[in-house]
Amino acid sequence: MTDNKILIHIGYPKTASTWLQKTVFSNENLGFTPFSPFSKIENDPRGDMQALKYFVDQSDVDFNSELVYQELNSCIKQSNLLNMVYVLSNECFVFPIFKQGYYKMTADRIYQVFPNGKILCLIREQKAAIFSLYNQIIKLGINYSSTLEEFLGIKSGGRLNLGIDVSVYKYDQIIEYYQTKFGKNNVLFLPFEVFVKNKKECLIKIINFVEIDANIKEIEILANEKYINEKLKSGTIEIKRIMNRIFYQPYKIGKEQLIRRKIVTKLTPLVQNLIPERMHVQAEKRLKGIIEEYCQDMYKESNQKTSELIGYNLSDLGYDC
């Protein structure tokens, strides 16, 4: 529909998405623009939530590619007139959590609206990604109280105990699908592990990918920033999970629910500090052991293919190959 420059950042969850959204994708000194027609909570660029509704949540009957294009096109043109690139970013484009088999539908919809768009995605070693995602969901979601086994689909749970589709971590399938739709030169997948070790390398790759003249000094400044993502210690995960179950009332909304959320939020760090460090270590070993036993060699073949597709030897980065 358009020849204007747009970068679509599709995921994955727990691969520095928030840092990229806040620090890079709204940074005019790097050649990106903060313009967005979609509402963001308190103007905090943590991802285009309205775009997620369009590309993921809407039914086939309601999805209208022309309407989405019209809503975004003015911002894209405004960005390009300033010789900058507009970024549409949500880490759940590639992986709508708790929804099965959506990545092809989302890719198709993005392609319908932006057939000339450039696709960026960060991947992460699968077992570490699953562990980190479960930690984050328990940390943030007062309405989520599934055990890790329920989260992985090993066991079925009770109320609101939703599991994830672990097949979405077979990266080669998703990479090949996006390459087929958009063309190999318009799709960039980078390992999160490379980002952690060398942010400058990743930032330069992204800048070169979208073909803009960036401020090198700005890249160096950002590359030297520490990437910090606070997470729950493993011993706290189980306690927080139980608190989620106790305090959350599924059908209650409004002030009472907000009060319950605040109580849990305040209690969590207090509980974490009371738990001896050795118990955190034991809990982490147990949780990671569950993931290891469940996954085993599930991703080995996929990782071998992914290494060839993206030009990184994933075995050197700790992936099962």
Side-chain angles (χ1 to χ4, degrees):
M1 286 186 178
T2 177
D3 292 323
N4 295 321
K5 286 186 177 181
I6 180 170
L7 176 67
I8 303 111
H9 168 238
I10 62 173
Y12 268 75
K14 307 310 298 172
T15 59
S17 298
T18 301
W19 187 86
L20 287 168
Q21 289 156 359
K22 287 182 176 181
T23 311
V24 178
F25 298 151
S26 58
N27 191 323
E28 295 179 65
N29 291 327
L30 288 178
F32 296 108
T33 175
F35 304 138
S36 177
F38 294 143
S39 59
K40 295 170 182 175
I41 299 173
E42 296 178 354
N43 295 316
D44 183 10
R46 292 179 292 178
D48 294 294
M49 300 308 294
Q50 184 66 27
L52 189 68
K53 292 179 183 178
Y54 280 133
F55 290 108
V56 177
D57 294 338
Q58 279 192 339
S59 68
D60 289 336
V61 174
D62 293 328
F63 178 72
N64 186 322
S65 60
E66 186 63 36
L67 181 65
V68 180
Y69 172 74
Q70 289 175 1
E71 187 160 357
L72 279 165
N73 191 42
S74 61
C75 287
I76 299 170
K77 281 186 174 180
Q78 188 177 357
S79 300
N80 292 172
L81 285 173
L82 297 172
N83 199 29
M84 293 192 293
V85 174
Y86 178 80
V87 184
L88 186 64
S89 173
N90 193 295
E91 61 269 30
C92 291
F93 282 155
V94 73
F95 180 10
I97 301 169
F98 306 133
K99 295 185 178 182
Q100 308 288 318
Y102 271 59
Y103 78 85
K104 287 187 177 181
M105 180 203 74
T106 306
D108 291 343
R109 289 181 174 184
I110 293 172
Y111 182 75
Q112 286 179 47
V113 182
F114 305 114
N116 298 317
K118 286 183 175 286
I119 304 298
L120 171 67
C121 186
L122 273 70
I123 62 173
R124 184 174 181 176
E125 191 281 318
Q126 290 91 342
K127 295 165 192 174
I130 291 169
F131 178 75
S132 183
L133 180 61
Y134 180 68
N135 185 306
Q136 184 77 354
I137 288 173
I138 294 296
K139 176 185 175 182
L140 298 180
I142 190 174
N143 61 335
Y144 194 80
S145 58
S146 292
T147 65
L148 180 56
E149 291 89 344
E150 291 164 350
F151 181 69
L152 291 171
I154 300 171
K155 296 179 180 179
S156 60
R159 60 171 192 174
L160 296 176
N161 289 315
L162 303 170
I164 61 168
D165 178 7
V166 295
S167 70
V168 297
Y169 287 107
K170 292 183 178 180
Y171 301 126
D172 67 303
Q173 298 176 4
I174 292 174
I175 294 169
E176 287 181 334
Y177 195 78
Y178 271 92
Q179 286 182 345
T180 300
K181 300 292 291 187
F182 292 88
K184 291 183 179 180
N185 293 333
N186 291 322
V187 175
L188 178 64
F189 277 68
L190 296 171
F192 171 71
E193 293 77 10
V194 173
F195 168 85
V196 172
K197 292 179 181 178
N198 192 337
K199 287 202 294 292
K200 183 177 180 180
E201 175 185 332
C202 283
L203 290 175
I204 290 174
K205 280 185 177 291
I206 293 169
I207 295 298
N208 290 338
F209 178 59
V210 294
E211 301 175 319
I212 52 177
D213 295 324
N215 187 320
I216 299 300
K217 289 184 178 179
E218 187 71 17
I219 293 176
E220 291 175 349
I221 291 170
L222 294 179
N224 290 324
E225 280 190 9
K226 288 186 177 180
Y227 168 70
I228 300 173
N229 186 13
E230 294 183 3
K231 61 182 181 180
L232 295 178
K233 291 185 177 181
S234 295
T236 314
I237 293 176
E238 181 63 16
I239 304 299
K240 176 65 165 58
R241 185 186 70 79
I242 294 170
M243 286 196 294
N244 288 353
R245 182 178 290 272
I246 292 172
F247 282 91
Y248 180 67
Q249 300 296 317
Y251 305 107
K252 288 187 178 181
I253 58 175
K255 187 175 180 181
E256 182 182 347
Q257 193 73 299
L258 289 174
I259 292 172
R260 289 171 178 270
R261 185 179 291 275
K262 287 180 180 179
I263 291 172
V264 173
T265 301
K266 288 185 177 294
L267 283 176
T268 300
L270 297 175
V271 170
Q272 179 155 284
N273 291 333
L274 289 173
I275 299 174
E277 190 61 33
R278 60 179 177 80
M279 292 184 67
H280 287 303
V281 173
Q282 291 171 356
E284 181 170 331
K285 184 177 180 181
R286 185 185 72 82
L287 292 172
K288 288 185 174 180
I290 292 170
I291 296 171
E292 182 73 34
E293 183 178 354
Y294 176 70
C295 293
Q296 296 187 20
D297 294 331
M298 183 185 300
Y299 302 111
K300 189 173 183 179
E301 183 179 349
S302 173
N303 288 339
Q304 292 170 356
K305 293 178 181 178
T306 301
S307 293
E308 296 177 5
L309 289 168
I310 68 174
Y312 283 95
N313 187 340
L314 294 182
S315 179
D316 293 341
L317 299 173
Y319 292 64
D320 290 337
C321 289

